[in-house]
Amino acid sequence: MSEESNVQFSEREALLYHSEGRPGKIEIIASKPMATQRDLALAYSPGVAVPVRAIAEDPSLAYDYTAKGNLVAVISNGTAILGLGNLGALASKPVMEGKAVLFKRFADVDAIDLELNTEDVDRLIDAIELMEPSFGGINLEDIKSPECFIIEQTLRERMNIPVFHDDQHGTAIIAAAGLINALHLTGRSFKDTRIVMLGAGAAAIACAELIKAMGLPHDNLLMLDLTGVIYQGRQESMNQWKSAHAVDTDKRTLADALGGADVFIGLASANSLSPELLKTMAPNPIIFAMANPDPEISPPLAKAARPDAIIATGRSDYPNQVNNVLGFPFIFRGALDVRATTINDAMKIAAARALAELARQQVPEEVAAAYGTQHSFGPEYIIPAPFDPRLMELIPAAVAQAAMDSGVATKPIIDMAAYRQSLRARLNPTTSVLSLAYEGARANPKRVIFAEGEEEVVLRAAIAFKEGGYGIPVLVGRESVHERLQKLGANPEDFELHNSVNSPLVPRMVEFLYERLQRRGYLRRDIERMVNRDRNIFGALLLQLGEADAMITGVTRTYAETMRQIKRVIDYAEGRTAFGIHVLVGQSHTVFIADTTVNERPNTEELAAIAEGTAQVARRMGHEPRVAFLSYSNFGNPEGRWLDNVRGAIKLLDERSVEFEYEGEMSPDVALNPRQMAKYPFARLSGPANVLIMPGLQSANISAKLLRELGGDSMIGPMLIGMEKPVQIAPMTATASELVTLAVLAAGGIAR
Ligand SMILES: NC(=O)C1=CN([C@@H]2O[C@H](COP(=O)(O)OP(=O)(O)OC[C@H]3O[C@@H](n4cnc5c(N)ncnc54)[C@H](OP(=O)(O)O)[C@@H]3O)[C@@H](O)[C@H]2O)C=CC1
Ligand SMILES: CC(=O)C(=O)O
Ligand SMILES: [Mg+2]
């Protein structure tokens, strides 16, 4: 929300995000079938008695028969919520729900938030200790110092599952990783670096300890709190944890401390560092302003004062996000997978080193492509971004290995290579690619036409698109759009509006379209009417005239009607068949279904082209395509009249020697269920299909819409592929966020 950040959103939008649909950010989903009487008898009484007795006899079986082994409690009493201070347990719930969903999103760890309404250390400790049977681990969050030190230490001693105060150790691990790389880039070593740490709370004390454990001499770190420098002999506002970092010095203020210092680490509060002070730091200073949500100093101010600095913050909207989100999901993943009894220093240091190492590696092509710019190790990239898919494979593996080596793993991993493979499979690459596509859009914002500017859902999408920094919305609509934008809390002046009634572009548009359609029997008068009245034609003409990079429409007219209008202005790309893809996205799988929107009964050539085009999109979205041509029949059984096209398409792909797996014709159960597929051992797919080519529009469109309405997974699309210009037709039921996703995919060139 800060002015200089490249992600803008209003307070209203933040509240809407949290309240829309089901309030809050989490829900619980059953992982077993619950449909029949028999299911219920197994899930609950009487069937449930069997695992109860088994666990009573052997407690370790709780990991086999309950969710314990993958379940973490995110616990707070709200006494230090981010950098916002002590706002109480209830107010901390949005942050704790947020941490819970990050656990799931980044590392497939199930997590539940628990806000406990007490500042009494003993009551808090007792309450948490009693929860040991329920969870595989405890993540303490936003509990203020010095109480947090006693709470964590006592719980670590009393509990036999990992207890980890994220603000202490999560933060320390990430800061250490960033610092390793920043020191390396500026030719320093821990031994000869002078660090000033603003803040002497949970995060700061833990960071100081870890950095010293990595080689920083005690006297090289000056720590400050609200009272000033923590020096030996200071009496005011001290405690044993601060005392441990007291230094023999006559420096008393931040200004005294910063003179000639190499590194500033802020773990204090917003705007607590003025740019003037930075000017006295050593050449090539390192500035980690880590307070959330607003840093000790904003990066643009810091950069203006010290252009030679390496700058990091806790936020995702500037380069170098040094935030514990890079740690806790992956650290717990590794700890849970070896059933570690604790998270010890060896595991923390292993995580820090693995993170630092990852930032130095070449960024993989799909990550770089989605970023829009080449990210390579340097002052603007000292630490990987949280959605880098490699984190999930590398950090848990490093943590698990360190747990095994240091003797705290109760279930060691035998085959590390297989473990790493299983980590990869836990996350759906689509989710990473989408996150990266959003990042890419922010790095390289494009102009996108929203043709139906009078619709509220479209305006909300356009506002989100703009405020998210994903690009510049170009709105098509009448005067009333101004008023509607205002009603939604946006400033109309910030938006570009094209109204066909007064657009100076109309004569050029008419010229273009008349030239195109005159030999299809249209009179100039017909064309003028179309341009003036029809927003899809007008929008498509804006695209043709180069006024924008992509176009989104679809919520006011049926798909077929919208397509008919667009085709008057925009052709299929040369030599291509246009078609539609619906993408079904689950936690760990993605399925691409085509052609769901354009060709009623695709012929041999069209089917082959649809398969090739869909395979390309699947690759762009991070998946190695395995294409199945679907039918009611398996390899000719039963015989039927409609199978020839499919057979012909497969033959064409054979002739073209395409570089992806394809097979057919086959029924969906054979394509998707490995046991069914095993009955056809000659089939050439190396695993369940992830690209389903349908024999005709009827079956394709019906299947996609059935899945959207009845299936539990989310659906992207339809994406329109193969047009001469990037134009997307959303379903009439699209939500604002679905429209934004389509806009991002269109502008970023994934949907083409
Ligand atoms: N980027 C990241 O990943 C993380 C960032 N943080 C951020 O670190 C900050 C502290 O969090 P946490 O350690 O949990 O909180 P605590 O309440 O435990 O500690 C806060 C510390 O900051 C000091 N402090 C506050 N304001 C100032 C100031 N203006 N000048 C000097 N010292 C100040 C306090 O001083 P005193 O002792 O005198 O009261 C106290 O020592 C928050 O802003 C939080 O968002 C925390 C965790 C992770
Ligand atoms: C990131 C975090 O945990 C905090 O700011 O408190
Ligand atoms: Mg925190």
Side-chain angles (χ1 to χ4, degrees):
M1 286 195 289
S2 105
E3 270 173 37
E4 308 82 357
S5 136
N6 62 2
V7 178
Q8 305 280 323
F9 54 83
S10 60
E11 295 199 348
R12 197 185 131 277
E13 204 192 348
L15 293 180
L16 203 63
Y17 174 85
H18 282 84
S19 64
E20 239 174 3
R22 198 184 283 254
K25 296 189 287 262
I26 61 175
E27 66 175 323
I28 287 179
I29 291 173
S31 62
K32 296 290 178 295
M34 292 281 164
T36 64
Q37 182 78 26
R38 185 179 149 74
D39 293 339
L40 296 185
L42 288 169
Y44 193 49
S45 181
V48 73
V50 185
V52 167
R53 284 193 214 100
I55 294 169
E57 209 157 287
D58 176 359
S60 73
L61 291 177
Y63 287 91
D64 295 327
Y65 299 135
T66 75
K68 176 180 169 84
N70 197 44
L71 190 60
V72 167
V74 178
I75 302 182
S76 184
N77 64 354
T79 48
I81 308 177
L82 310 175
L84 304 172
N86 182 350
L87 301 178
L90 186 58
S92 76
K93 191 165 170 65
V95 176
M96 302 314 131
E97 283 189 0
K99 293 266 175 183
V101 295
L102 296 179
F103 265 116
K104 186 71 186 176
R105 159 68 180 82
F106 288 120
D108 196 20
V109 171
D110 294 307
I112 179 114
D113 61 299
L114 297 168
E115 295 74 25
L116 301 184
N117 206 4
T118 180
E119 292 188 23
D120 182 314
V121 169
D122 295 325
R123 286 185 74 198
L124 200 64
I125 290 173
D126 288 344
I128 297 171
E129 184 188 356
L130 293 174
M131 293 180 201
E132 174 155 345
S134 306
F135 298 104
I138 304 287
N139 182 92
L140 302 174
E141 191 67 49
D142 291 1
I143 300 175
K144 81 177 183 63
S145 59
E147 294 83 346
C148 63
F149 301 123
I150 302 164
I151 293 165
E152 192 204 39
Q153 190 51 40
T154 313
L155 288 171
R156 283 170 67 89
E157 284 159 17
R158 291 199 200 159
M159 296 179 83
N160 208 29
I161 53 175
V163 177
F164 181 84
H165 182 200
D166 180 37
D167 297 284
Q168 292 184 53
H169 315 296
T171 315
I173 289 165
I174 315 310
L179 199 55
I180 290 172
N181 283 341
L183 293 180
H184 174 84
L185 284 170
T186 53
R188 296 174 166 109
S189 75
F190 278 110
K191 284 201 169 46
D192 57 23
T193 295
R194 285 193 42 224
I195 298 184
V196 171
M197 189 162 293
L198 190 65
I205 298 276
C207 281
E209 275 168 13
L210 188 62
I211 293 169
K212 287 180 183 177
M214 294 177 118
L216 187 87
H218 173 85
D219 286 342
N220 286 21
L221 185 137
L222 282 183
M223 187 178 275
L224 295 95
D225 59 8
L226 283 165
T227 306
V229 172
I230 295 175
Y231 57 88
Q232 274 175 15
R234 195 182 105 173
Q235 299 297 321
E236 196 185 334
S237 180
M238 290 296 284
N239 58 43
Q240 68 185 86
W241 296 274
K242 290 182 184 177
S243 296
H245 299 283
V247 174
D248 184 9
T249 177
D250 52 10
K251 296 185 173 163
R252 294 294 178 262
T253 65
L254 185 55
D256 297 343
L258 273 179
D262 300 296
V263 179
F264 167 85
I265 298 179
L267 288 158
S269 59
N271 306 317
S272 45
L273 174 64
S274 75
E276 281 63 45
L277 292 187
L278 291 181
K279 295 191 175 142
T280 65
M281 289 182 75
N284 303 118
I286 296 163
I287 301 166
F288 285 10
M290 293 170 64
N292 287 314
D294 297 309
E296 284 76 5
I297 184 166
S298 81
L301 278 181
K303 196 86 201 164
R306 288 307 297 256
D308 58 338
I310 292 181
I311 300 167
T313 68
R315 300 170 56 120
S316 59
D317 49 354
Y318 295 111
N320 296 330
Q321 183 184 17
V322 179
N323 189 303
N324 52 29
V325 64
L326 271 172
F328 66 82
F330 312 108
I331 292 164
F332 270 93
R333 177 78 275 147
L336 292 172
D337 289 340
V338 293
R339 286 189 205 158
T341 52
T342 184
I343 294 170
N344 60 23
D345 284 349
M347 293 155 81
K348 292 179 211 161
I349 291 176
R353 292 203 195 288
L355 271 171
E357 174 54 32
L358 181 55
R360 296 181 196 198
Q361 286 172 14
Q362 186 82 21
V363 176
E365 206 177 321
E366 76 270 19
V367 178
Y371 266 126
T373 51
Q374 180 66 44
H375 274 236
S376 58
F377 184 54
E380 300 256 298
Y381 179 70
I382 57 169
I383 190 115
F387 42 76
D388 189 322
R390 298 169 299 168
L391 288 166
M392 177 57 164
E393 183 180 339
L394 298 177
I395 312 303
V399 170
Q401 187 65 53
M404 295 190 302
D405 295 345
S406 59
V408 297
T410 62
K411 187 182 163 237
I413 288 163
I414 314 289
D415 181 345
M416 209 55 180
Y419 174 57
R420 285 172 63 145
Q421 172 67 33
S422 77
L423 287 169
R424 265 201 301 270
R426 267 183 184 272
L427 285 193
N428 186 343
T430 314
T431 340
S432 305
V433 170
L434 279 182
S435 309
L436 292 164
Y438 274 87
E439 287 308 304
R442 289 204 324 222
N444 190 8
K446 297 266 172 64
R447 294 163 60 82
V448 175
I449 299 161
F450 291 80
E452 297 157 310
E454 279 147 42
E455 299 302 307
E456 177 173 332
V457 67
V458 172
L459 287 180
R460 286 207 283 124
I463 293 169
F465 188 71
K466 179 178 168 54
E467 290 183 344
Y470 306 125
I472 301 133
V474 177
L475 295 171
V476 176
R478 304 281 186 236
E479 270 303 303
S480 66
V481 172
H482 278 98
E483 203 180 304
R484 286 168 208 237
L485 280 168
Q486 261 163 348
K487 261 202 200 134
L488 292 170
N491 179 3
E493 302 303 316
D494 293 344
F495 289 81
E496 187 178 323
L497 177 64
H498 288 262
N499 180 350
S500 61
V501 171
N502 56 20
S503 169
L505 297 168
V506 165
R508 266 173 71 205
M509 288 179 171
V510 170
E511 217 41 60
F512 176 93
L513 201 56
Y514 184 55
E515 176 73 27
R516 196 176 142 81
L517 296 183
Q518 53 186 286
R519 286 194 171 271
R520 289 191 224 167
Y522 289 91
L523 306 178
R524 187 177 273 275
R525 237 183 20 213
D526 300 330
I527 302 291
E528 281 165 356
R529 206 175 304 126
M530 272 190 230
V531 172
N532 279 323
R533 292 211 189 135
D534 199 307
R535 40 175 98 91
N536 281 327
I537 299 225
F538 184 85
L541 283 163
L542 279 177
L543 192 59
Q544 279 291 21
L545 297 186
E547 293 292 313
D549 304 297
M551 163 170 162
I552 305 294
T553 184
V555 303
T556 56
R557 285 200 170 80
T558 61
Y559 195 95
E561 175 61 11
T562 309
M563 186 69 181
R564 214 165 52 78
Q565 293 176 330
I566 286 173
K567 272 169 53 187
R568 290 197 180 133
V569 186
I570 299 175
D571 287 327
Y572 291 176
E574 206 181 324
R576 293 194 63 184
T577 297
F579 64 95
I581 306 177
H582 276 76
V583 189
L584 184 75
V585 185
Q587 166 78 19
S588 61
H589 64 271
T590 293
V591 176
F592 299 81
I593 308 171
D595 163 20
T596 52
T597 58
V598 180
N599 302 282
E600 188 169 2
R601 188 162 294 164
N603 61 29
T604 298
E605 178 57 51
E606 284 164 344
L607 276 176
I610 292 164
E612 285 184 89
T614 312
Q616 274 173 7
V617 172
R619 277 224 172 99
R620 271 181 227 128
M621 295 188 78
H623 298 266
E624 193 46 42
R626 290 184 299 276
V627 177
F629 286 87
L630 292 192
S631 166
Y632 58 87
S633 171
N634 285 300
F635 306 104
N637 184 13
E639 282 179 25
R641 281 200 292 146
W642 305 114
L643 303 181
D644 291 351
N645 281 355
V646 174
R647 302 254 167 100
I650 290 175
K651 211 160 138 247
L652 270 182
L653 295 183
D654 287 343
E655 282 161 21
R656 290 176 194 167
S657 312
V658 294
E659 292 194 345
F660 56 84
E661 295 178 14
Y662 55 92
E663 188 56 281
E665 78 286 346
M666 61 172 81
S667 55
D669 49 341
V670 172
L672 297 170
N673 184 330
R675 276 183 303 155
Q676 282 296 91
M677 198 184 288
K679 294 184 181 142
Y680 302 90
F682 58 88
R684 294 170 299 183
L685 296 188
S686 60
N690 54 9
V691 174
L692 305 180
I693 303 302
M694 304 298 247
L697 192 55
Q698 289 256 26
S699 49
N701 191 270
I702 291 171
S703 311
K705 287 191 174 156
L706 275 178
L707 285 167
R708 182 193 283 280
E709 296 302 325
L710 303 177
D713 297 338
S714 57
M715 186 71 95
I716 300 173
M719 294 191 246
L720 179 56
I721 308 297
M723 298 295 287
E724 177 196 19
K725 297 266 170 175
V727 52
Q728 290 298 324
I729 305 176
M732 291 179 78
T733 52
T735 61
S737 68
E738 286 169 340
L739 291 172
V740 172
T741 300
L742 268 185
V744 165
L745 292 174
I750 289 180
R752 68 181 140 90

